[in-house]
Amino acid sequence: RDAFPDLLIATLPTDQVSDLALVLISGRAGALIGRPVNFNLTAQGKLIGPLLHETRAGAYYVLFGLGTVEGVSLSLIYSQATGRNASARVLLKEPSWERLRKSNSSRLIHISSEQVEFLLPLVAGQCAQHSNLDSVSVVNSSRSDWMLVCGAEGRVSVLRENDTHTAWSLGPAAIHTRPASGLFNDDSVPDLLIHQSANGVRKVQILDGARGRSLWEAGFVCPRLAVEDSSVLTSSGQSVFLFWAGDPLSPALNVTKATSQAAEPVLRKLFLLHPFYPTILLQLSSTTDTVLTATVSYQPQQKDASYISVSSRPTSGRRPAEQLLKSLSLRAAIADAQILQLPDASRDASPDTPFHVSKFFRRLSFKQDINM
């Protein structure tokens, strides 16, 4: 009630024997609110969440788990942590969710029994910023549908937030990093950028967030990287998609040739894809360093965004590898980018001249949220 957003975190003991606990922390003072609330979860797997979700009726639930996904009302967490009742707004319940309880005495609402690798809100631009604490991002992500990547085969599913039922599922997809969500087509439903790597080839795809069908795909020499892809919202309401790969491959290239190319010292390239030009990529950067992680930061005043990455570079002798932090202005990188036409005969090449293509991209500007 102090107007400062509070934090909810999950803790696991190092001995892996005690229960998982959800802990409330004051956003104003940084102090513990009440005591930890313990949950005896029988499932074992990757720590999921916690994610806050607000239903259409305005009820608040927290999604979390170990491998599987469970839900619990925020009011229950608050009352068990403090011994006091929550405010009237937080006390609201969602009937469609409450019916999912295994029993009236159970605290948990079962969402998914599959082994989940990633649980993410289906909101454009949020996957790379999954720890974002700004109020607009939190509100948008807490009211969305969810994207799940499940099992060792990396099957992708989207669950509807109103009843937790599966909207669509695709697999096996062999996905081992977080997909990135952004607006590729014009149905206002965030679409998914994923990649799969096998036999020296990286297949990059954009999946329709509403139905799961492929909207765009291309093959590349595998860059031997596990870094997450990213999407960035533009001022026009569409997204651009950023991913690392090697050289684009033509459909006729056989697997043996692709594998031999991937075995050579790999030049990793950062590509930008805009839905208006699906046959064209901008090469923003290239490096032989190993990119370890990356994220996007917006600069609202400049209508720009920065691509921030951490890379590893080998050193001579027994010295540990160097760690390099780089920040790349997208607008500056686009101005100097190399324009590549994808070698896919099934797509119609862009009728625009390189001058018009370059002019279009140079006019791009970026914003953090589609509603801003």
Side-chain angles (χ1 to χ4, degrees), residues 264-318:
E264 299 170 359
V266 177
L267 183 62
R268 286 96 180 213
K269 300 179 178 182
L270 177 62
F271 291 111
L272 180 148
L273 169 69
H274 192 290
F276 191 78
Y277 283 109
T279 65
I280 286 175
L281 294 176
L282 295 191
Q283 182 182 317
L284 303 184
S285 177
S286 63
T287 182
T288 55
D289 298 336
T290 300
V291 184
L292 303 175
T293 187
T295 191
V296 173
S297 174
Y298 290 86
Q299 289 84 51
Q301 298 297 325
Q302 294 79 24
K303 296 184 178 181
D304 196 3
S306 296
Y307 184 81
I308 303 169
S309 63
V310 177
S311 302
S312 174
R313 177 178 297 172
T315 57
S316 59
R318 296 184 177 181

Side-chain angles (χ1 to χ4, degrees), residues 230 232 240-245 268-274 280-287 296 304-308 326-340 361-362 364 366:
S230 302
V232 189
V240 295
F241 296 83
L242 303 170
F243 60 91
W244 288 92
R268 286 96 180 213
K269 300 179 178 182
L270 177 62
F271 291 111
L272 180 148
L273 169 69
H274 192 290
I280 286 175
L281 294 176
L282 295 191
Q283 182 182 317
L284 303 184
S285 177
S286 63
T287 182
V296 173
D304 196 3
S306 296
Y307 184 81
I308 303 169
K326 297 181 180 179
S327 179
L328 182 70
S329 162
L330 290 187
R331 296 189 70 179
I334 288 170
D336 297 330
Q338 179 182 351
I339 299 174
L340 301 177
F361 280 104
R362 286 170 184 264
L364 285 180
F366 305 97

Side-chain angles (χ1 to χ4, degrees), residues 63 75 95 110 117-118 124 131 136 147 149 182 187 190 203 236 343:
L63 307 183
S75 62
H110 192 58
E117 291 295 314
F118 303 109
S131 297
V136 173
M147 169 181 53
V149 178
D187 62 4
K203 180 181 178 182
S236 67

Side-chain angles (χ1 to χ4, degrees), residues 198-201 220-222 224 247 249 253-267:
N199 300 319
V201 174
F220 302 83
V221 174
C222 182
R224 290 181 286 178
D247 290 325
L249 300 176
L253 185 70
N254 59 49
V255 172
T256 302
K257 186 175 180 181
T259 305
S260 66
Q261 283 184 272
E264 299 170 359
V266 177
L267 183 62

Side-chain angles (χ1 to χ4, degrees), residues 101-165:
R101 292 187 189 277
K102 293 181 179 179
S103 66
N104 291 334
S105 60
S106 174
R107 296 186 297 173
L108 297 177
I109 297 170
H110 192 58
I111 305 296
S112 174
S113 57
E114 295 188 78
Q115 283 293 307
V116 175
E117 291 295 314
F118 303 109
L119 171 68
L120 303 167
L122 190 60
V123 178
Q126 287 299 302
C127 292
Q129 291 83 39
H130 46 267
S131 297
N132 204 330
L133 296 179
D134 78 90
S135 57
V136 173
S137 298
V138 169
V139 168
N140 288 342
S141 61
S142 67
R143 295 173 178 170
S144 71
D145 291 341
W146 312 299
M147 169 181 53
L148 277 73
V149 178
C150 300
E153 295 180 335
R155 187 171 57 81
V156 184
S157 301
V158 166
L159 300 187
R160 296 193 298 262
E161 63 84 20
N162 60 326
D163 58 11
T164 74
H165 292 168

